[in-house]
Amino acid sequence: MAKKTALITGVTGQDGAYLLEFLLAKGYAVHGVRRRASLFNTDRIDHLLHDVHTQGNDLTLHYGDMTDSSSLIRIVERTQADEIYNLAAQSHVAVSFEQPEYTANADGLGTMRLLEAIRIVGLERKTRFYQASTSELYGLVQEPLQNEKTPFYPRSPYAASKLYAYWMTVNYRESYQMFACNGILFNHESPVRGEIFVTRKITRALARIKLGIQERLFLGNVHARRDWGHARDYVRAMWMMLQHDTPDDFVIASGAQHSVKDFVDLAARELGMPLRWEGSGLDEKAYCWQTGACVVEVDPRYFRPAEVETLLGDATKARRELGWSPETSFEELVSEMVQADLAEAKRDQLVRNNGFKYAEHFE
Ligand code: NDP
Ligand code: GDR
């Protein structure tokens, strides 16, 4: 049987890296879209790129950009993919307040450009399309538990851009009978999560504080509550959506909720450095080491102009129709991230104390 071909935009991001590994293991020929950058930006997939030479991985990267129609049309035409996963986006909510126009261009119009590219090339009846939609669509939540029927109320330029992309995906499905799906994914993390998202910011900083190579961690709204899962489980759901009999939209979530403060507590416990919370109610100012020195502090500069205070997903439909369920618990996720960042902090500490040559031999 001929190999299936997949195209991933955003292949150099967290989800792109996990999805790439997943699809290669399934025997797909995979094409990825990368952006030109002045420094290497393929850290997360370098091990798989290396295997192209050593193991014969069927992986090809193409230069392109979601803001550049011509590159998207060319790549879609060249790859003739059976499945396209649109993961590329300016994905940081706080940054979207600083760059609303670019975010709309890449995340909103970019999705339309890719859908149009499929149609222009004449692949609308062949290619299955996955859109990386988000729980941020719910924003100022209208129901305590969010599912596919919950009304949207976006609270950021990022969410408003993703709302446009969500509806364009539905619209192309209904107008051109495209097999197009929205995965409404709740927050998912991993050891390769970008360092400025709150979970990775916490695990990285606490590991470094533990080893004495960083003094403090500054956070914004520590009362925000999220439904956090592992990226490895969530990319499996993306693939399952495109193998389903009919195109549809699915919520993917763990069904458990924790606050940013809970995340800090658990990560600190994993490192054997329990923190004592100082202050009370909403006025809490800082977490402190039991020894007294403050290591985690709230800095209002990280507050957002409009906040999403609470998200909690109901993935019943995905369980029922796709047979999807998460395999990694919240505790396992935090532990995996902390241990990975501790190992990285140990390398940094060695470099700092002994120079680069010594650290090269460190496992
Ligand atoms: P990342 O920020 O880790 O990765 C984003 C990817 O998009 C990177 O490969 C980045 O390239 C690429 N990209 C950004 N802008 C452009 C552009 N203009 N043209 C081409 N590529 C671009 O995000 P995640 O992997 O965490 O998320 C994947 C997708 O899922 C995103 O669309 C995100 O909005 C969405 N999402 C994420 C959730 C999560 O919790 N992680 C939850 C719900 C939805 P580069 O490496 O060069 O920066
Ligand atoms: P989010 O993730 O905005 O949910 O978007 P992020 O980790 O950035 O924030 C989660 C919550 O933590 C609060 N917070 C902080 N956030 C950051 N980044 N830095 C801080 O110092 C900090 N302190 C507190 C935030 O205010 C927020 O309430 C992620 C992205 O991956 C999106 O692309 C995706 O669509 C959604 O998840 C689902």
mmCIF file of all heavy atoms in Angstrom, residues 161-178:
data_model
loop_
_atom_site.group_PDB
_atom_site.id
_atom_site.type_symbol
_atom_site.label_atom_id
_atom_site.label_comp_id
_atom_site.label_asym_id
_atom_site.label_seq_id
_atom_site.Cartn_x
_atom_site.Cartn_y
_atom_site.Cartn_z
ATOM 1 N N SER A 161 -8.657 35.967 16.567
ATOM 2 C CA SER A 161 -8.084 35.484 15.297
ATOM 3 C C SER A 161 -8.396 34.006 15.100
ATOM 4 O O SER A 161 -8.734 33.559 13.994
ATOM 5 C CB SER A 161 -6.562 35.672 15.287
ATOM 6 O OG SER A 161 -6.236 36.993 15.629
ATOM 7 N N LYS A 162 -8.287 33.244 16.190
ATOM 8 C CA LYS A 162 -8.572 31.807 16.120
ATOM 9 C C LYS A 162 -10.076 31.552 15.901
ATOM 10 O O LYS A 162 -10.460 30.518 15.371
ATOM 11 C CB LYS A 162 -8.100 31.116 17.401
ATOM 12 C CG LYS A 162 -6.577 30.962 17.495
ATOM 13 C CD LYS A 162 -6.097 29.780 16.653
ATOM 14 C CE LYS A 162 -4.625 29.485 16.871
ATOM 15 N NZ LYS A 162 -4.183 28.285 16.151
ATOM 16 N N LEU A 163 -10.897 32.505 16.339
ATOM 17 C CA LEU A 163 -12.343 32.368 16.113
ATOM 18 C C LEU A 163 -12.634 32.443 14.616
ATOM 19 O O LEU A 163 -13.415 31.645 14.068
ATOM 20 C CB LEU A 163 -13.104 33.471 16.847
ATOM 21 C CG LEU A 163 -14.628 33.363 16.772
ATOM 22 C CD1 LEU A 163 -15.134 32.204 17.625
ATOM 23 C CD2 LEU A 163 -15.298 34.651 17.237
ATOM 24 N N TYR A 164 -11.985 33.380 13.938
ATOM 25 C CA TYR A 164 -12.135 33.485 12.477
ATOM 26 C C TYR A 164 -11.687 32.180 11.809
ATOM 27 O O TYR A 164 -12.375 31.634 10.941
ATOM 28 C CB TYR A 164 -11.305 34.681 11.966
ATOM 29 C CG TYR A 164 -11.237 34.790 10.465
ATOM 30 C CD1 TYR A 164 -12.319 35.293 9.735
ATOM 31 C CD2 TYR A 164 -10.100 34.397 9.773
ATOM 32 C CE1 TYR A 164 -12.253 35.382 8.348
ATOM 33 C CE2 TYR A 164 -10.030 34.483 8.398
ATOM 34 C CZ TYR A 164 -11.106 34.969 7.688
ATOM 35 O OH TYR A 164 -11.046 35.060 6.320
ATOM 36 N N ALA A 165 -10.541 31.669 12.248
ATOM 37 C CA ALA A 165 -10.012 30.431 11.651
ATOM 38 C C ALA A 165 -10.961 29.258 11.914
ATOM 39 O O ALA A 165 -11.173 28.408 11.038
ATOM 40 C CB ALA A 165 -8.625 30.134 12.229
ATOM 41 N N TYR A 166 -11.546 29.230 13.114
ATOM 42 C CA TYR A 166 -12.497 28.158 13.454
ATOM 43 C C TYR A 166 -13.658 28.171 12.460
ATOM 44 O O TYR A 166 -14.004 27.151 11.853
ATOM 45 C CB TYR A 166 -13.007 28.365 14.888
ATOM 46 C CG TYR A 166 -14.158 27.446 15.262
ATOM 47 C CD1 TYR A 166 -13.928 26.237 15.908
ATOM 48 C CD2 TYR A 166 -15.482 27.791 14.960
ATOM 49 C CE1 TYR A 166 -14.983 25.384 16.234
ATOM 50 C CE2 TYR A 166 -16.534 26.947 15.281
ATOM 51 C CZ TYR A 166 -16.280 25.751 15.922
ATOM 52 O OH TYR A 166 -17.330 24.907 16.243
ATOM 53 N N TRP A 167 -14.247 29.353 12.272
ATOM 54 C CA TRP A 167 -15.441 29.433 11.417
ATOM 55 C C TRP A 167 -15.099 29.229 9.943
ATOM 56 O O TRP A 167 -15.911 28.707 9.183
ATOM 57 C CB TRP A 167 -16.200 30.739 11.651
ATOM 58 C CG TRP A 167 -17.013 30.664 12.917
ATOM 59 C CD1 TRP A 167 -16.836 31.400 14.052
ATOM 60 C CD2 TRP A 167 -18.106 29.767 13.188
ATOM 61 N NE1 TRP A 167 -17.742 31.024 15.015
ATOM 62 C CE2 TRP A 167 -18.538 30.027 14.510
ATOM 63 C CE3 TRP A 167 -18.759 28.773 12.464
ATOM 64 C CZ2 TRP A 167 -19.589 29.334 15.113
ATOM 65 C CZ3 TRP A 167 -19.816 28.082 13.061
ATOM 66 C CH2 TRP A 167 -20.216 28.361 14.365
ATOM 67 N N MET A 168 -13.913 29.659 9.521
ATOM 68 C CA MET A 168 -13.518 29.396 8.124
ATOM 69 C C MET A 168 -13.379 27.899 7.895
ATOM 70 O O MET A 168 -13.745 27.384 6.828
ATOM 71 C CB MET A 168 -12.202 30.115 7.786
ATOM 72 C CG MET A 168 -12.348 31.618 7.667
ATOM 73 S SD MET A 168 -13.667 32.129 6.530
ATOM 74 C CE MET A 168 -12.811 32.040 4.967
ATOM 75 N N THR A 169 -12.888 27.188 8.878
ATOM 76 C CA THR A 169 -12.752 25.730 8.746
ATOM 77 C C THR A 169 -14.136 25.087 8.616
ATOM 78 O O THR A 169 -14.369 24.245 7.738
ATOM 79 C CB THR A 169 -11.979 25.176 9.971
ATOM 80 O OG1 THR A 169 -10.699 25.817 10.021
ATOM 81 C CG2 THR A 169 -11.805 23.664 9.887
ATOM 82 N N VAL A 170 -15.071 25.526 9.454
ATOM 83 C CA VAL A 170 -16.454 25.017 9.360
ATOM 84 C C VAL A 170 -17.038 25.390 7.994
ATOM 85 O O VAL A 170 -17.670 24.579 7.307
ATOM 86 C CB VAL A 170 -17.332 25.611 10.495
ATOM 87 C CG1 VAL A 170 -18.796 25.235 10.299
ATOM 88 C CG2 VAL A 170 -16.829 25.154 11.855
ATOM 89 N N ASN A 171 -16.770 26.639 7.585
ATOM 90 C CA ASN A 171 -17.329 27.135 6.332
ATOM 91 C C ASN A 171 -16.819 26.363 5.111
ATOM 92 O O ASN A 171 -17.594 26.055 4.194
ATOM 93 C CB ASN A 171 -16.967 28.626 6.219
ATOM 94 C CG ASN A 171 -17.794 29.304 5.177
ATOM 95 O OD1 ASN A 171 -17.288 29.675 4.125
ATOM 96 N ND2 ASN A 171 -19.083 29.446 5.425
ATOM 97 N N TYR A 172 -15.541 26.041 5.094
ATOM 98 C CA TYR A 172 -14.999 25.267 3.965
ATOM 99 C C TYR A 172 -15.546 23.847 3.973
ATOM 100 O O TYR A 172 -15.727 23.227 2.927
ATOM 101 C CB TYR A 172 -13.457 25.278 3.974
ATOM 102 C CG TYR A 172 -12.901 26.491 3.245
ATOM 103 C CD1 TYR A 172 -13.197 27.779 3.687
ATOM 104 C CD2 TYR A 172 -12.131 26.354 2.110
ATOM 105 C CE1 TYR A 172 -12.719 28.896 3.022
ATOM 106 C CE2 TYR A 172 -11.647 27.469 1.425
ATOM 107 C CZ TYR A 172 -11.949 28.738 1.895
ATOM 108 O OH TYR A 172 -11.493 29.846 1.219
ATOM 109 N N ARG A 173 -15.812 23.334 5.155
ATOM 110 C CA ARG A 173 -16.420 21.993 5.251
ATOM 111 C C ARG A 173 -17.825 22.023 4.641
ATOM 112 O O ARG A 173 -18.196 21.156 3.856
ATOM 113 C CB ARG A 173 -16.475 21.590 6.734
ATOM 114 C CG ARG A 173 -17.070 20.225 6.981
ATOM 115 C CD ARG A 173 -16.805 19.785 8.414
ATOM 116 N NE ARG A 173 -17.629 20.470 9.404
ATOM 117 C CZ ARG A 173 -17.214 20.837 10.616
ATOM 118 N NH1 ARG A 173 -15.969 20.638 11.000
ATOM 119 N NH2 ARG A 173 -18.045 21.422 11.457
ATOM 120 N N GLU A 174 -18.575 23.066 5.004
ATOM 121 C CA GLU A 174 -19.970 23.127 4.556
ATOM 122 C C GLU A 174 -20.104 23.587 3.104
ATOM 123 O O GLU A 174 -21.011 23.170 2.393
ATOM 124 C CB GLU A 174 -20.757 24.055 5.485
ATOM 125 C CG GLU A 174 -20.864 23.476 6.901
ATOM 126 C CD GLU A 174 -21.540 24.406 7.894
ATOM 127 O OE1 GLU A 174 -21.816 25.574 7.549
ATOM 128 O OE2 GLU A 174 -21.783 23.953 9.034
ATOM 129 N N SER A 175 -19.187 24.452 2.658
ATOM 130 C CA SER A 175 -19.311 25.007 1.300
ATOM 131 C C SER A 175 -18.739 24.075 0.233
ATOM 132 O O SER A 175 -19.276 23.992 -0.860
ATOM 133 C CB SER A 175 -18.563 26.339 1.190
ATOM 134 O OG SER A 175 -19.008 27.228 2.168
ATOM 135 N N TYR A 176 -17.611 23.439 0.563
ATOM 136 C CA TYR A 176 -16.901 22.675 -0.477
ATOM 137 C C TYR A 176 -16.784 21.195 -0.134
ATOM 138 O O TYR A 176 -15.986 20.482 -0.731
ATOM 139 C CB TYR A 176 -15.502 23.272 -0.698
ATOM 140 C CG TYR A 176 -15.532 24.763 -0.928
ATOM 141 C CD1 TYR A 176 -14.918 25.640 -0.039
ATOM 142 C CD2 TYR A 176 -16.203 25.300 -2.035
ATOM 143 C CE1 TYR A 176 -14.964 27.012 -0.241
ATOM 144 C CE2 TYR A 176 -16.254 26.671 -2.231
ATOM 145 C CZ TYR A 176 -15.644 27.530 -1.340
ATOM 146 O OH TYR A 176 -15.686 28.877 -1.532
ATOM 147 N N GLN A 177 -17.524 20.766 0.894
ATOM 148 C CA GLN A 177 -17.501 19.356 1.326
ATOM 149 C C GLN A 177 -16.080 18.894 1.651
ATOM 150 O O GLN A 177 -15.723 17.731 1.436
ATOM 151 C CB GLN A 177 -18.143 18.421 0.276
ATOM 152 C CG GLN A 177 -19.647 18.592 0.127
ATOM 153 C CD GLN A 177 -20.016 19.894 -0.567
ATOM 154 O OE1 GLN A 177 -19.516 20.192 -1.640
ATOM 155 N NE2 GLN A 177 -20.875 20.689 0.060
ATOM 156 N N MET A 178 -15.282 19.806 2.148
ATOM 157 C CA MET A 178 -13.928 19.403 2.556
ATOM 158 C C MET A 178 -13.992 18.623 3.864
ATOM 159 O O MET A 178 -14.820 18.915 4.728
ATOM 160 C CB MET A 178 -13.049 20.644 2.798
ATOM 161 C CG MET A 178 -12.272 21.059 1.582
ATOM 162 S SD MET A 178 -11.285 22.530 1.921
ATOM 163 C CE MET A 178 -10.091 21.892 3.061
#
